[in-house]
């Protein structure tokens, strides 16, 4: 038989191998994209370049010697961190935190490195950084190069969050649940809530995005603490603070938020995606702890009348009923409740098994305090501080807080403190040339706030103040909120939960007291680490004002030179009877 001659194949084997390689490469890129976006590995890889910030603890004695040498003035300066550290947040480092448990988002809460692993270097500004756009223009636009992160603009631009326009990010004021703008959304809420009457003053915006809701509430004299967790891809809180809007990096996970009980007149969630009824309504209970009696809760977005979330919406309503919240309105995908002024009335049999906390529970204990599954009792805190009994704004700013009485002679100390800070702030402005009251200063922090007297004295200035009540100090943050001001609890032996370059002015009275154990008088941490952290959160050309004893001020001045500040030491104001000096320093604008 003869051989059958088949026609030659039209397919080239080598050509198929090349196509296979290209296809495999393409699908590999798609796989990596999904891995980066939808798994914690994305956060981990985003942080993998921060080698200088993951210092080895192999020689802690060397670090100790460096600290001692700088504090004694034996070494003039410390080095800059590497360029990949420009947005570093020590306690929200995704590389460190991604190794932790995912249960209740524990890994997204703050987890600080031990002091010996904290870098002793100065965070540099990003390439092309410019002095921030001044308020109020910054509400609408900021410099793109100050935080060149485009993801929100790319993904949320159609919802009015932000967009790129020339050298700026532009903020039209929209949000996922209010793409037409926060102003219209606030006007809609005003149909049901007394927004512009002085009844409401302090608000909490949970999962705030770029904080347009809080930014536009300022026009109604409502001061909003906006928060969201650190996001290595989107930097929501970083954008909010660059805009000059009060904001804080936090995650509602396994712990209470670092705020006092019954401090917020309004709690707001616009598509914050917090599962309020999960874990036996633990997150709703935390909202209830924070909300002032007679205050308002607004939830906009899922699960409120949301497709395929009937069960979640039903559960949310059931929890609100169990806590005796009054339903004010359901308007589309927005629900508004009012909290009862009386103690929570829990039925004997509610489907979530909710119970009241015992009277001995302190609902204002909130620094690293685990979430409780019991409902905080109003009777655990004495005083009349509910909506309708607390003075309306602005009268509440100067009226003695009902909760100041927990300190001996609280009302008298409160009044004296208020007068003292009016006098001191006038001295800062008139004699020390601190630029308070000018557009140069918008974001202000008081590291040792006590009753918030410093912030109260600035109420007519175009600023907002983050009042920090340090751990181990008298717990006066509830008094600050009763005044219509905002703030957080914090331990200054740890880094603060904010991005670099987010404050224009940092003020601290008695800086060395932040380092000491109050009982033993022994330092728990060192001055250099504290001032490196202050430098991290201070904007270039920002200002630091420190009040303390002459000896303490001398030590601060030595370290100031090491962190590249330009310090000047002044005498205290003539009316002061204390033994104090005042240091005013400017952070220099240096680049790598």
């Amino acid at each position: 038989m003869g051989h059958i001659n088949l026609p030659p194949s039209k397919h080239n084997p080598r050509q198929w191998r090349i196509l296979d390689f290209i296809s495999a490469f393409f699908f590999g890129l798609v796989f990596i994209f999904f891995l980066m976006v939808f798994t914690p590995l994305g956060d981990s890889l985003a942080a993998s370049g921060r080698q200088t910030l993951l210092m080895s603890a192999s020689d802690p004695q060397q670090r100790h010697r460096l600290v001692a040498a700088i504090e004694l003035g034996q070494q003039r300066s410390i080095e800059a961190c590497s360029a990949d550290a420009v947005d570093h947040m020590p306690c929200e480092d995704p590389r460190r935190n991604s190794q932790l448990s995912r249960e209740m988002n524990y890994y997204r809460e703050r987890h600080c490195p031990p002091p010996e692993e904290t870098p002793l270097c100065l965070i540099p500004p990003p390439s092309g950084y410019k002095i921030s756009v001044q308020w109020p223009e910054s509400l609408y636009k900021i410099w793109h190069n100050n935080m060149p992160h485009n993801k929100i603009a790319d993904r949320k631009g159609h919802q009015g969050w932000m967009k790129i326009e020339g050298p700026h990010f532009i903020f039209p004021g929209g949000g996922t649940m209010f793409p037409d703008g926060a102003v219209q959304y606030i006007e809609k809420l005003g149909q049901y809530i007394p927004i512009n009457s002085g009844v409401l003053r302090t608000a909490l915006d949970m999962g705030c995005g770029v904080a347009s809701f809080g930014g536009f509430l300022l026009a109604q004299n409502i001061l909003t603490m906006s928060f969201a967790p650190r996001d290595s891809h989107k930097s929501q809180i970083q954008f909010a603070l660059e805009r000059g809007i009060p904001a804080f990096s936090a995650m509602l996970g396994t712990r209470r938020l670092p705020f006092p009980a019954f401090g917020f007149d309004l709690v707001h969630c616009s598509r914050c995606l917090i599962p309020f009824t999960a874990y036996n309504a633990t997150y709703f209970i935390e909202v209830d702890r924070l909300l002032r009696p007679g205050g308002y809760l607004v939830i906009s977005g899922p699960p409120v009348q949301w497709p395929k979330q009937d069960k979640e919406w039903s559960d949310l309503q059931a929890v609100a009923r169990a806590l005796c919240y009054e339903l004010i309105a359901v308007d589309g995908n927005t629900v508004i409740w009012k909290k009862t002024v009386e103690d929570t009335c829990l039925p004997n049999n509610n489907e979530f098994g909710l119970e009241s906390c015992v009277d001995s529970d302190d609902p204002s204990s909130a620094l690293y305090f685990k979430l409780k599954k019991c409902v905080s009792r109003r009777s655990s805190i004495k005083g009349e501080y509910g909506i309708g009994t607390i003075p309306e704004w602005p009268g509440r700013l100067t009226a003695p807080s009902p909760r100041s009485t927990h300190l001996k002679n609280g009302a008298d100390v409160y009044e004296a403190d208020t007068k003292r800070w009016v006098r001191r702030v006038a001295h800062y402005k008139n004699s020390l040339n601190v630029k308070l009251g000018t557009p140069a200063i918008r974001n202000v922090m008081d590291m040792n706030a006590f009753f918030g007297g410093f912030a109260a004295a600035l109420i007519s200035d175009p600023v907002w103040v983050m009042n920090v009540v340090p751990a181990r100090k008298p717990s006066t943050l509830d008094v600050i909120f009763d005044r219509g001001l905002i703030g957080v609890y914090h331990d200054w032996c740890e880094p603060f939960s904010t991005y670099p370059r987010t404050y224009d002015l940092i003020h601290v009275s008695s800086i060395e007291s932040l380092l000491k154990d109050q009982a033993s008088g022994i330092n728990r941490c060192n001055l250099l680490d504290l001032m490196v952290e202050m430098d991290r959160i201070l904007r270039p050309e920002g200002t630091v004002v420190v009040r303390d004893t002459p000896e303490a001020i001398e030590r601060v001045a030595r370290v100031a030179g090491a962190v590249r500040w330009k310090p000047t030491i002044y005498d205290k104001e003539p009316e002061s009877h204390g033994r104090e000096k005042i240091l005013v320093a400017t952070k220099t604008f240096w680049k790598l």
Side-chain angles (χ1 to χ4, degrees), residues 104-252:
M104 294 181 72
N105 279 308
Y106 175 74
Y107 78 110
R108 299 189 75 185
E109 295 178 305
R110 53 181 279 122
H111 301 282
C112 299
E116 63 270 13
E117 294 182 19
T118 303
L120 277 178
C121 58
L122 304 180
I123 301 292
S127 177
Y129 181 88
K130 298 181 180 180
I131 299 302
S132 298
V133 176
Q134 294 181 348
W135 180 266
E137 188 180 8
S138 61
L139 179 63
Y140 303 97
K141 71 176 184 180
I142 63 172
W143 294 113
H144 174 273
N145 285 347
N146 285 13
M147 45 196 67
H149 310 303
N150 297 349
K151 184 163 288 188
I152 295 181
D154 294 340
R155 292 187 174 183
K156 303 289 188 178
H158 66 287
Q159 296 173 351
W161 282 41
M162 56 189 286
K163 60 182 180 179
I164 301 173
E165 190 173 287
H168 296 103
F169 279 119
I170 304 299
F171 299 88
T176 302
M177 296 307 300
F178 43 93
D180 294 330
V183 173
Q184 292 87 341
Y185 177 71
I186 291 168
E187 288 176 352
K188 171 185 168 182
L189 295 182
Q191 299 173 21
Y192 311 104
I193 299 175
I195 282 181
N196 59 1
S197 63
V199 172
L200 305 182
R201 169 60 181 172
T202 55
L204 180 68
D205 190 14
M206 313 175 78
C208 61
V210 295
S212 288
F213 178 72
F216 285 95
L217 270 180
L218 290 168
Q220 308 296 334
N221 279 322
I222 295 178
L223 187 60
T224 305
M225 176 72 81
S226 300
F227 82 87
R230 182 197 190 281
D231 190 323
S232 61
H233 302 302
K234 297 179 183 176
S235 306
Q236 301 170 65
I237 295 302
Q238 192 177 20
F239 284 117
L241 287 161
E242 184 72 7
R243 297 176 71 187
I245 302 172
F248 181 70
S249 178
M251 178 73 200
L252 183 53

Side-chain angles (χ1 to χ4, degrees), residues 298-344:
V298 177
I299 299 177
S300 182
V304 181
Q305 300 195 133
W306 205 261
K308 300 180 181 180
Q309 294 200 25
D310 294 345
K311 174 64 165 59
E312 292 84 352
W313 173 222
S314 177
D315 287 348
L316 185 63
Q317 294 175 88
V319 174
R321 285 194 301 269
L323 296 176
C324 297
Y325 278 44
E326 177 188 355
L327 179 62
I328 301 298
V330 180
D331 187 337
N333 299 122
T334 300
V335 62
I336 302 171
W337 281 292
K338 184 176 182 180
K339 180 178 176 177
T340 177
V341 175
E342 303 301 325
D343 247 335
T344 302

Side-chain angles (χ1 to χ4, degrees), residues 8-141:
S9 171
K10 295 181 181 180
H11 299 288
N12 187 324
R14 179 175 179 81
Q15 183 181 8
W16 271 109
R17 285 196 294 272
I18 293 173
L19 290 175
D20 287 345
F21 174 78
I22 293 173
S23 298
F25 179 74
F26 172 77
F27 284 110
L29 288 177
V30 172
F31 175 76
I32 291 172
F33 170 79
F34 280 98
L35 198 66
M36 292 283 286
V37 173
F38 297 107
T39 74
L41 181 60
D43 279 346
S44 178
L45 292 176
S48 62
R50 302 189 185 114
Q51 295 302 316
T52 59
L53 296 174
L54 300 175
M55 293 179 61
S56 170
S58 58
D59 189 3
Q61 290 302 317
Q62 181 178 359
R63 189 184 195 281
H64 178 74
R65 287 192 293 270
L66 176 61
V67 170
I70 289 177
E71 291 192 1
L72 291 172
Q74 298 172 352
Q75 180 164 326
R76 292 187 176 181
S77 63
I78 57 177
E79 297 179 356
C81 304
S82 61
D84 57 9
V86 294
D87 293 329
H88 181 58
M89 299 172 67
C91 298
E92 287 85 7
D93 189 323
R95 178 166 179 171
R96 171 186 294 275
N97 294 2
S98 64
Q99 308 304 314
L100 303 174
S101 169
R102 269 55 177 176
E103 180 68 16
M104 294 181 72
N105 279 308
Y106 175 74
Y107 78 110
R108 299 189 75 185
E109 295 178 305
R110 53 181 279 122
H111 301 282
C112 299
E116 63 270 13
E117 294 182 19
T118 303
L120 277 178
C121 58
L122 304 180
I123 301 292
S127 177
Y129 181 88
K130 298 181 180 180
I131 299 302
S132 298
V133 176
Q134 294 181 348
W135 180 266
E137 188 180 8
S138 61
L139 179 63
Y140 303 97
K141 71 176 184 180

